[in-house]
Amino acid sequence: MSIKAQDHFFDVNQVSQCIKVQKPYFAFQQIWQDGNSLVGSFAAEQSLDYETGIITAGELGRHLAILGSCAAVVICNGSEGYYLALKADFINKPHKQTSVNDILYAGAQVLSIDKRSLKISAQAWNTEPVAELLCEYAILSPALFQRRFRHYASDDLSVPDDSPYQYPIPLHSLTFHKEKLDAFAGPLSPQQCAGHFYGYPCWPVAIISQTAVQVVGELLKKNMVLKCVSLYEIRNYRQKS
Protein backbone atom coordinates (compact mmCIF):
# COMPACT_ATOMS: atom_id res chain seq x y z
CA MET A 1 0.00 0.00 0.00
CA SER A 2 1.42 3.37 -1.02
CA ILE A 3 1.01 6.16 1.55
CA LYS A 4 1.89 9.64 0.34
CA ALA A 5 3.01 12.49 2.56
CA GLN A 6 1.26 15.85 2.50
CA ASP A 7 3.22 18.93 3.57
CA HIS A 8 6.07 16.64 4.65
CA PHE A 9 3.90 14.69 7.13
CA PHE A 10 2.00 11.42 6.78
CA ASP A 11 -1.62 11.10 7.86
CA VAL A 12 -1.36 9.34 11.24
CA ASN A 13 -4.91 8.00 10.97
CA GLN A 14 -4.22 6.40 7.59
CA VAL A 15 -0.94 4.90 8.80
CA SER A 16 -2.48 3.53 12.00
CA GLN A 17 -5.31 1.88 10.05
CA CYS A 18 -2.76 0.06 7.91
CA ILE A 19 -1.20 -1.63 10.96
CA LYS A 20 -4.56 -2.19 12.70
CA VAL A 21 -3.53 -0.13 15.74
CA GLN A 22 -5.54 2.99 16.50
CA LYS A 23 -5.87 5.71 19.10
CA PRO A 24 -5.42 5.76 22.04
CA TYR A 25 -2.88 2.90 21.85
CA PHE A 26 -1.43 4.63 18.79
CA ALA A 27 -0.26 7.93 20.24
CA PHE A 28 2.07 9.56 17.70
CA GLN A 29 1.22 13.18 17.08
CA GLN A 30 3.10 13.49 13.78
CA ILE A 31 5.01 11.12 11.50
CA TRP A 32 7.46 12.00 8.72
CA GLN A 33 10.30 10.43 6.74
CA ASP A 34 13.94 11.37 7.17
CA GLY A 35 16.14 9.40 4.77
CA ASN A 36 15.61 5.70 5.46
CA SER A 37 14.01 6.42 8.84
CA LEU A 38 10.40 7.03 9.80
CA VAL A 39 10.34 9.64 12.57
CA GLY A 40 7.51 10.40 14.98
CA SER A 41 6.76 12.68 17.91
CA PHE A 42 4.87 11.73 21.05
CA ALA A 43 4.41 12.63 24.72
CA ALA A 44 4.80 10.44 27.79
CA GLU A 45 1.46 9.43 29.30
CA GLN A 46 2.19 7.38 32.42
CA SER A 47 3.89 8.40 35.66
CA LEU A 48 7.27 6.82 36.43
CA ASP A 49 6.38 5.47 39.89
CA TYR A 50 9.41 3.32 40.82
CA GLU A 51 11.37 3.91 37.61
CA THR A 52 14.00 6.53 36.90
CA GLY A 53 14.32 8.45 33.66
CA ILE A 54 11.83 10.46 31.61
CA ILE A 55 9.39 7.73 30.49
CA THR A 56 8.55 4.21 31.61
CA ALA A 57 10.26 1.37 29.76
CA GLY A 58 6.97 -0.31 28.89
CA GLU A 59 5.44 2.80 27.37
CA LEU A 60 8.57 3.59 25.40
CA GLY A 61 8.73 0.03 24.08
CA ARG A 62 5.12 0.39 22.96
CA HIS A 63 5.82 3.54 20.92
CA LEU A 64 9.00 2.17 19.34
CA ALA A 65 7.37 -1.13 18.34
CA ILE A 66 4.41 0.70 16.79
CA LEU A 67 6.72 3.04 14.85
CA GLY A 68 8.64 0.04 13.53
CA SER A 69 5.51 -1.44 11.98
CA CYS A 70 4.60 1.99 10.60
CA ALA A 71 8.02 2.16 8.93
CA ALA A 72 7.24 -1.11 7.16
CA VAL A 73 4.05 0.17 5.54
CA VAL A 74 5.28 3.72 4.86
CA ILE A 75 8.87 3.25 3.71
CA CYS A 76 8.75 -0.29 2.31
CA ASN A 77 5.14 -0.31 1.08
CA GLY A 78 4.46 -3.24 3.39
CA SER A 79 1.08 -4.90 3.24
CA GLU A 80 -1.85 -3.77 5.35
CA GLY A 81 -2.25 -6.19 8.23
CA TYR A 82 -1.44 -7.12 11.80
CA TYR A 83 2.18 -6.78 12.92
CA LEU A 84 2.69 -9.03 15.95
CA ALA A 85 5.89 -8.43 17.90
CA LEU A 86 7.53 -11.79 18.60
CA LYS A 87 10.92 -10.85 20.02
CA ALA A 88 12.48 -7.60 21.19
CA ASP A 89 15.67 -6.31 22.77
CA PHE A 90 15.19 -3.06 24.69
CA ILE A 91 18.33 -1.10 25.56
CA ASN A 92 18.29 1.92 27.87
CA LYS A 93 20.85 4.58 26.96
CA PRO A 94 22.84 6.24 29.79
CA HIS A 95 22.23 9.96 29.83
CA LYS A 96 22.57 12.98 32.11
CA GLN A 97 19.63 15.09 31.08
CA THR A 98 19.14 18.09 33.33
CA SER A 99 16.09 19.31 31.41
CA VAL A 100 13.33 17.40 29.66
CA ASN A 101 11.19 18.59 26.76
CA ASP A 102 7.51 17.69 26.82
CA ILE A 103 7.76 16.12 23.37
CA LEU A 104 9.86 13.02 22.69
CA TYR A 105 10.96 11.70 19.31
CA ALA A 106 11.57 8.29 17.82
CA GLY A 107 13.01 6.99 14.59
CA ALA A 108 12.64 3.51 13.07
CA GLN A 109 14.48 1.75 10.24
CA VAL A 110 13.48 -1.49 8.51
CA LEU A 111 16.31 -4.03 8.65
CA SER A 112 14.50 -6.76 6.73
CA ILE A 113 10.98 -7.48 5.53
CA ASP A 114 9.08 -10.08 3.53
CA LYS A 115 5.43 -11.10 3.30
CA ARG A 116 5.43 -12.83 6.67
CA SER A 117 8.10 -11.21 8.82
CA LEU A 118 9.68 -7.89 9.73
CA LYS A 119 12.76 -6.80 11.65
CA ILE A 120 13.39 -3.21 12.68
CA SER A 121 15.69 -1.00 14.68
CA ALA A 122 14.25 2.00 16.51
CA GLN A 123 15.63 4.75 18.71
CA ALA A 124 14.06 7.33 21.03
CA TRP A 125 15.48 10.63 22.17
CA ASN A 126 14.62 13.82 24.02
CA THR A 127 17.50 16.24 24.48
CA GLU A 128 19.72 13.12 24.45
CA PRO A 129 19.32 9.49 23.32
CA VAL A 130 16.95 7.60 25.64
CA ALA A 131 16.63 4.02 24.40
CA GLU A 132 16.92 1.63 21.46
CA LEU A 133 14.72 -1.26 20.40
CA LEU A 134 15.43 -4.18 18.09
CA CYS A 135 12.18 -5.95 17.26
CA GLU A 136 11.01 -8.87 15.14
CA TYR A 137 7.40 -9.30 14.00
CA ALA A 138 5.15 -11.81 12.32
CA ILE A 139 2.92 -10.22 9.66
CA LEU A 140 -0.60 -11.61 9.45
CA SER A 141 -3.11 -10.68 6.79
CA PRO A 142 -6.49 -9.45 8.08
CA ALA A 143 -8.19 -12.67 6.97
CA LEU A 144 -5.60 -14.91 8.67
CA PHE A 145 -5.59 -12.85 11.86
CA GLN A 146 -9.37 -12.84 12.14
CA ARG A 147 -9.50 -16.59 11.55
CA ARG A 148 -6.82 -17.35 14.17
CA PHE A 149 -8.09 -14.92 16.80
CA ARG A 150 -11.84 -15.05 16.23
CA HIS A 151 -12.34 -16.16 19.87
CA TYR A 152 -11.03 -12.72 20.97
CA ALA A 153 -13.59 -10.82 18.90
CA SER A 154 -15.65 -8.34 20.93
CA ASP A 155 -18.79 -6.36 20.26
CA ASP A 156 -17.66 -3.67 22.71
CA LEU A 157 -16.06 -1.24 20.25
CA SER A 158 -16.49 1.93 22.29
CA VAL A 159 -13.47 4.20 22.77
CA PRO A 160 -12.92 5.70 26.26
CA ASP A 161 -12.77 9.47 26.64
CA ASP A 162 -9.39 9.26 28.39
CA SER A 163 -6.52 7.03 27.36
CA PRO A 164 -6.40 4.00 29.68
CA TYR A 165 -2.64 3.89 29.08
CA GLN A 166 -2.16 6.85 31.41
CA TYR A 167 -2.68 4.53 34.35
CA PRO A 168 -0.80 1.44 35.55
CA ILE A 169 -2.66 -1.87 35.72
CA PRO A 170 -3.85 -2.33 39.34
CA LEU A 171 -2.08 -5.08 41.27
CA HIS A 172 -3.81 -7.07 43.99
CA SER A 173 -3.28 -10.05 46.30
CA LEU A 174 0.41 -9.21 46.74
CA THR A 175 2.21 -12.01 48.59
CA PHE A 176 5.84 -11.60 49.64
CA HIS A 177 8.19 -14.56 50.18
CA LYS A 178 11.61 -13.18 51.24
CA GLU A 179 13.14 -12.30 47.84
CA LYS A 180 10.03 -13.17 45.85
CA LEU A 181 6.70 -11.46 45.18
CA ASP A 182 3.56 -13.03 43.75
CA ALA A 183 0.83 -10.69 42.51
CA PHE A 184 -2.32 -10.72 40.42
CA ALA A 185 -3.20 -8.12 37.79
CA GLY A 186 -6.44 -7.60 35.93
CA PRO A 187 -8.77 -8.77 34.64
CA LEU A 188 -8.85 -6.16 31.89
CA SER A 189 -11.94 -4.88 30.16
CA PRO A 190 -11.96 -4.33 26.37
CA GLN A 191 -11.79 -0.58 27.01
CA GLN A 192 -8.48 -1.00 28.83
CA CYS A 193 -7.06 -2.41 25.58
CA ALA A 194 -8.59 0.35 23.46
CA GLY A 195 -7.01 0.81 20.04
CA HIS A 196 -4.92 -2.37 20.20
CA PHE A 197 -6.19 -4.51 17.33
CA TYR A 198 -9.61 -2.88 17.11
CA GLY A 199 -12.41 -5.39 17.57
CA TYR A 200 -10.04 -8.01 19.01
CA PRO A 201 -9.04 -6.59 22.40
CA CYS A 202 -6.18 -8.35 24.15
CA TRP A 203 -3.52 -7.42 26.66
CA PRO A 204 -0.76 -5.61 24.68
CA VAL A 205 2.72 -7.06 25.25
CA ALA A 206 4.06 -3.60 26.16
CA ILE A 207 1.48 -3.36 28.95
CA ILE A 208 2.38 -6.86 30.15
CA SER A 209 6.03 -5.77 30.32
CA GLN A 210 5.17 -2.58 32.16
CA THR A 211 3.08 -4.51 34.69
CA ALA A 212 6.05 -6.81 35.30
CA VAL A 213 8.16 -3.71 35.99
CA GLN A 214 5.53 -2.57 38.51
CA VAL A 215 5.81 -5.90 40.34
CA VAL A 216 9.60 -5.56 40.48
CA GLY A 217 9.16 -2.05 41.89
CA GLU A 218 6.83 -3.31 44.62
CA LEU A 219 9.36 -6.02 45.55
CA LEU A 220 12.23 -3.54 45.72
CA LYS A 221 10.10 -1.17 47.80
CA LYS A 222 9.27 -3.96 50.26
CA ASN A 223 12.92 -4.99 50.55
CA MET A 224 14.01 -1.38 51.15
CA VAL A 225 11.42 -1.00 53.91
CA LEU A 226 12.61 -4.22 55.56
CA LYS A 227 16.22 -3.09 55.40
CA CYS A 228 15.34 0.28 56.94
CA VAL A 229 13.43 -1.46 59.74
CA SER A 230 16.38 -3.78 60.39
CA LEU A 231 18.80 -0.86 60.57
CA TYR A 232 16.47 0.96 62.96
CA GLU A 233 16.24 -2.08 65.21
CA ILE A 234 20.04 -2.49 65.24
CA ARG A 235 20.55 1.17 66.19
CA ASN A 236 17.99 0.92 68.97
CA TYR A 237 19.63 -2.24 70.32
CA ARG A 238 23.04 -0.56 70.36
CA GLN A 239 21.67 2.50 72.15
CA LYS A 240 20.01 0.34 74.80
CA SER A 241 23.19 -1.70 75.26
Side-chain angles (χ1 to χ4, degrees):
M1 174 175 288
S2 178
I3 300 177
K4 296 182 179 180
Q6 294 184 352
D7 298 327
H8 186 61
F9 298 101
F10 294 101
D11 185 330
V12 292
N13 293 320
Q14 183 183 7
V15 174
S16 67
Q17 289 172 7
C18 287
I19 61 169
K20 307 304 180 184
V21 177
Q22 301 175 2
K23 297 178 181 179
Y25 194 71
F26 185 101
F28 282 97
Q29 300 168 354
Q30 294 180 317
I31 293 178
W32 64 96
Q33 187 170 352
D34 183 3
N36 68 340
S37 296
L38 186 67
V39 182
S41 59
F42 61 97
E45 290 186 288
Q46 196 176 106
S47 61
L48 286 167
D49 289 333
Y50 302 123
E51 294 184 61
T52 60
I54 61 175
I55 184 173
T56 66
E59 181 180 353
L60 188 51
R62 160 193 157 202
H63 296 310
L64 292 177
I66 288 174
L67 190 65
S69 54
C70 291
V73 300
V74 171
I75 296 178
C76 299
N77 293 324
S79 58
E80 178 178 348
Y82 294 81
Y83 289 73
L84 279 64
L86 301 178
K87 178 182 178 181
D89 293 322
F90 181 85
I91 306 147
N92 265 318
K93 297 291 185 180
H95 58 83
K96 298 179 180 179
Q97 292 188 212
T98 56
S99 62
V100 178
N101 296 328
D102 291 337
I103 301 300
L104 290 87
Y105 299 91
Q109 307 82 38
V110 174
L111 302 180
S112 63
I113 185 172
D114 55 38
K115 291 184 177 180
R116 297 183 179 180
S117 64
L118 167 69
K119 185 175 182 179
I120 64 96
S121 172
Q123 311 79 34
W125 64 91
N126 190 247
T127 57
E128 296 181 20
V130 177
E132 180 180 359
L133 181 77
L134 298 173
C135 191
E136 299 177 17
Y137 311 73
I139 305 174
L140 275 64
S141 68
L144 178 58
F145 180 91
Q146 291 162 13
R147 185 164 65 250
R148 285 191 179 182
F149 297 97
R150 59 185 179 275
H151 53 288
Y152 285 104
S154 173
D155 294 330
D156 186 355
L157 304 180
S158 60
V159 178
D161 294 332
D162 294 325
S163 169
Y165 307 108
Q166 300 176 65
Y167 313 105
I169 302 300
L171 301 176
H172 55 90
S173 301
L174 277 65
T175 306
F176 295 90
H177 309 279
K178 294 184 179 180
E179 300 299 320
K180 180 183 177 182
L181 168 61
D182 294 327
F184 289 88
L188 297 183
S189 68
Q191 284 200 334
Q192 287 175 285
C193 307
H196 183 260
F197 298 158
Y198 185 75
Y200 296 84
C202 60
W203 203 355
V205 65
I207 308 306
I208 295 174
S209 301
Q210 186 57 37
T211 304
V213 171
Q214 291 171 225
V215 176
V216 173
E218 292 290 347
L219 179 59
L220 293 175
K221 175 185 174 183
K222 180 70 172 181
N223 286 340
M224 288 297 296
V225 170
L226 291 175
K227 288 179 180 179
C228 289
V229 170
S230 297
L231 288 172
Y232 177 78
E233 290 175 345
I234 290 171
R235 287 172 183 167
N236 275 353
Y237 175 78
R238 287 175 178 175
Q239 289 174 0
K240 291 178 181 178
S241 300

